[in-house]
Amino acid sequence: MNTLEQLASLQQAALAEIAAASDATQVDELRVKHLGRRSQLRLIMGQIGAMPATERPALGKAAGQTQQALQDALEARAGALASPAHEPTFDVTLPGRRPAMGRLHPLARLIDELVDIFRGMGFELADGPEVEDEYHNFDALNTPADHPARDLHDTFYLTDGLLLRTHTSTVQIRVMEQTPPPVRVVSLGRVYRKEAVDATHHYAFHQIEGLYVDRGVSFADLKGTIEMMGRQLLGDRTRVRFRPHFFPFTEPSVEYDFSCSLCDGGVPGCRVCKGTGWIEIAGAGMVDPAVFTAVGYDPEVYTGFAFGMGLERIAMIRHGVDDIRLFLDGDLRFIRQL
Ligand code: FA5
């Protein structure tokens, strides 16, 4: 590399360093490095006197230009760093801003908890589609087209005989179609009904479904399982009350209530149980033999229980919330309080 080229490359490298300087101290250091007595530029300038006389004027001029360019750049950078744009524009003594922390929706937390409870009792998790066919939502569950129980589960019909499932009982059928007994599953998910919305009813809500089929499963197993769930969800003092009911897909059928976790037994005016001491929770029963026949299980060999429970109802009790719509509206002011 001849001297002219050396000067050019030195200048290029020094300008890049100066442009990258981020404070006044660095600018000063670069001034010493590139223009100081021991700088490379000074070294080159010192050697020019010994060069052939014909080359000296051009070299001297180039060295002077490089020196000027570096001086200008150092000054410009120092000026830029001192300008108001580089002054801190905030008060560094102010407390920091907290990052917004997300958290799980109360229904998502309840779902996780129920999964844990039932896994602990040996249940597996099953899933099924929200867009269902009439067969899985009604017919296989012993509810043919002319059955009056269909009226109670009026839903949103799609084309091609499809509908939005009205309950998670559809998953019972899907599991039994795929799996030979014994089965022990829970399924949690969203269901839909063409329902007038009020404080305790929504057109889209969540259910948990449980199904246990084996040889010799009895109503006592159902009671024990439900009681265990109630205690783990709402506390050890929780009691369960079974009332006779009707579902086409279970026989006998019940509705069950949990004792009120807020007043524990009928304090007049309790906002959770309305003073009755009990809260209606869900439906359950022993799987109807007609359902076993529909899925190819032998009803003479196998028995089983099933239950279906609304998750919003549980969340309402736990958090003392008296309007189901609050859980589903997505209003963060509400969700953040739970
Ligand atoms: C059923 O859906 C049955 N599939 C339950 C069942 C499963 C019975 C297995 C037997 C064996 P029901 O329509 O009662 O039953 O609804 C069950 C629960 O869902 C109710 O107890 C309630 O907690 C909840 N629920 C029902 N309708 C609504 C609604 N519109 N909004 C919110 N929750 C509801």
Side-chain angles (χ1 to χ4, degrees):
M1 205 190 289
N2 66 32
T3 311
L4 276 178
E5 287 166 348
Q6 257 181 335
L7 280 168
S9 93
L10 177 156
Q11 177 172 338
Q12 196 187 2
L15 287 178
E17 283 182 37
I18 294 166
S22 57
D23 58 34
T25 319
Q26 274 185 26
V27 175
D28 282 340
E29 284 167 5
L30 290 172
R31 192 188 310 281
V32 174
K33 179 177 171 188
H34 294 299
L35 297 177
R37 275 192 292 132
R38 290 162 200 268
S39 64
Q40 220 187 330
L41 181 61
R42 282 299 187 89
L43 196 76
I44 295 173
M45 285 170 143
Q47 291 164 352
I48 292 176
M51 302 263 177
T54 49
E55 290 178 23
R56 262 183 260 156
L59 288 173
K61 194 175 166 208
Q65 280 170 347
T66 296
Q67 190 176 31
Q68 192 59 50
L70 297 189
Q71 261 162 7
D72 291 350
L74 285 161
E75 230 159 88
R77 189 68 194 140
L81 288 172
S83 75
H86 285 271
E87 294 282 312
T89 53
F90 55 91
D91 180 350
V92 291
T93 63
L94 283 175
R97 274 193 209 138
R98 267 173 200 280
M101 293 284 282
R103 70 172 103 167
L104 291 176
H105 189 281
L107 287 174
R109 295 206 304 268
L110 179 60
I111 287 174
D112 287 350
E113 218 173 298
L114 281 163
V115 169
D116 275 354
I117 292 173
F118 280 98
R119 282 229 169 100
M121 290 194 269
F123 283 73
E124 286 175 49
L125 204 54
D127 206 5
E130 289 179 19
V131 174
E132 259 296 1
D133 50 45
E134 285 191 44
Y135 177 76
H136 287 91
N137 199 83
F138 292 122
D139 302 78
L141 286 160
N142 203 27
T143 317
D146 58 355
H147 198 292
R150 281 210 185 192
D151 292 344
L152 302 173
H153 280 215
D154 198 9
T155 186
F156 303 95
Y157 286 87
L158 311 169
T159 49
D160 306 330
L162 296 175
L163 46 78
L164 296 183
R165 68 178 179 186
T166 59
H167 51 178
T168 42
S169 298
T170 52
V171 185
Q172 289 184 37
I173 303 301
R174 293 201 169 268
V175 167
M176 289 191 282
E177 279 173 343
Q178 304 279 323
T179 329
V183 294
R184 194 158 23 165
V185 292
V186 281
S187 185
L188 301 101
R190 206 171 246 256
V191 301
Y192 304 83
R193 288 184 199 181
K194 193 164 165 292
E195 190 111 60
V197 173
D198 62 23
T200 51
H201 295 85
H202 211 277
Y203 57 82
F205 57 102
H206 296 78
Q207 285 188 338
I208 175 174
E209 189 83 11
L211 173 71
Y212 178 22
V213 182
D214 202 348
R215 291 166 198 263
V217 175
S218 75
F219 201 91
D221 296 311
L222 170 65
K223 274 193 96 171
T225 307
I226 299 299
E227 250 173 43
M228 179 77 118
M229 167 178 68
R231 290 205 193 121
Q232 293 197 46
L233 272 182
L234 300 175
D236 276 345
R237 295 160 68 96
T238 308
R239 283 159 289 123
V240 187
R241 176 174 81 172
F242 291 84
R243 289 175 286 109
H245 197 70
F246 171 81
F247 293 103
F249 34 92
T250 45
E251 178 62 35
S253 301
V254 291
E255 273 191 331
Y256 59 85
D257 310 331
F258 286 158
S259 55
C260 179
S261 57
L262 188 67
C263 71
D264 194 29
V267 170
C270 170
R271 73 170 189 282
V272 170
C273 68
K274 307 277 177 283
T276 63
W278 297 95
I279 311 143
E280 290 181 25
I281 296 286
M286 301 306 291
V287 180
D288 195 293
V291 174
F292 282 151
T293 305
V295 296
Y297 281 16
D298 185 346
E300 296 298 325
V301 178
Y302 293 100
T303 52
F305 70 72
F307 62 89
M309 182 171 90
L311 297 189
E312 281 79 3
R313 298 269 167 92
I314 298 277
M316 288 169 79
I317 299 164
R318 295 183 107 188
H319 300 290
V321 171
D322 57 11
D323 196 324
I324 191 172
R325 288 166 283 200
L326 291 165
F327 285 100
L328 302 154
D329 285 351
D331 187 336
L332 288 178
R333 289 172 305 173
F334 167 74
I335 304 291
R336 283 201 186 106
Q337 293 175 48
L338 301 184

